Amino acid sequence: MDVVLVVLLGTTGFATNPVVVGQVVHVAGAGRALPMALATSAFQAGIALGSRTGGAALASTPHLQGPPLTGTVLALPALVPLGLPAATHRTAAPAPAPAPDRPNEQAGQDLASGQSAPRSVTDPADTRGVAPAPGPSSHRR
């Protein structure tokens, strides 16, 4: 089971790098060489520092519990950029109701009950999703 989790961790970590670099290239536009190199270097620095920190944690007093604890402490600050947008996200106010087209009609909706208002059979504005028939000028010879 441990081997499966390590392989899963490596696969997800390996798949993250191209996605992040691709997003950096998309955002950077024309001058993308330096930001792309910086993003790749950040991954490499993370691998080096993570390996060094994990090795030091393994040699510390908690021994086998040191690396998971160190990983947890290092992962918590990574959640801050994810939590800030979620904490500051606001929903948009509902759109105002449309104004009636005709004085005696309520724009197709009864506001009190939420039911659709009946339309007359002879109402020319009622197309019921049917496209108008093409006129004689729309035919080509």
Side-chain angles (χ1 to χ4, degrees), residues 103-137:
N104 292 334
E105 217 174 274
Q106 295 181 347
Q109 186 143 54
D110 186 355
L111 299 177
S113 66
Q115 300 294 323
S116 294
R119 293 182 181 231
S120 68
V121 176
T122 59
D123 186 4
D126 186 15
T127 60
R128 303 205 189 265
V130 178
S137 64

Side-chain angles (χ1 to χ4, degrees), residues 44-75:
Q44 299 300 323
I47 291 169
L49 291 174
S51 299
R52 172 71 177 114
T53 306
L58 191 56
S60 67
T61 305
H63 298 292
L64 293 178
Q65 296 301 319
L69 292 173
T70 304
T72 303
V73 169
L74 293 175

Side-chain angles (χ1 to χ4, degrees), residues 1-57:
M1 181 64 166
D2 292 335
V3 173
V4 173
L5 291 176
V6 169
V7 169
L8 184 63
L9 178 65
T11 304
T12 56
F14 183 71
T16 304
N17 190 2
V19 173
V20 171
V21 172
Q23 188 65 25
V24 167
V25 168
H26 176 72
V27 171
R32 61 182 168 242
L34 186 60
M36 188 169 64
L38 182 61
T40 304
S41 297
F43 272 100
Q44 299 300 323
I47 291 169
L49 291 174
S51 299
R52 172 71 177 114
T53 306

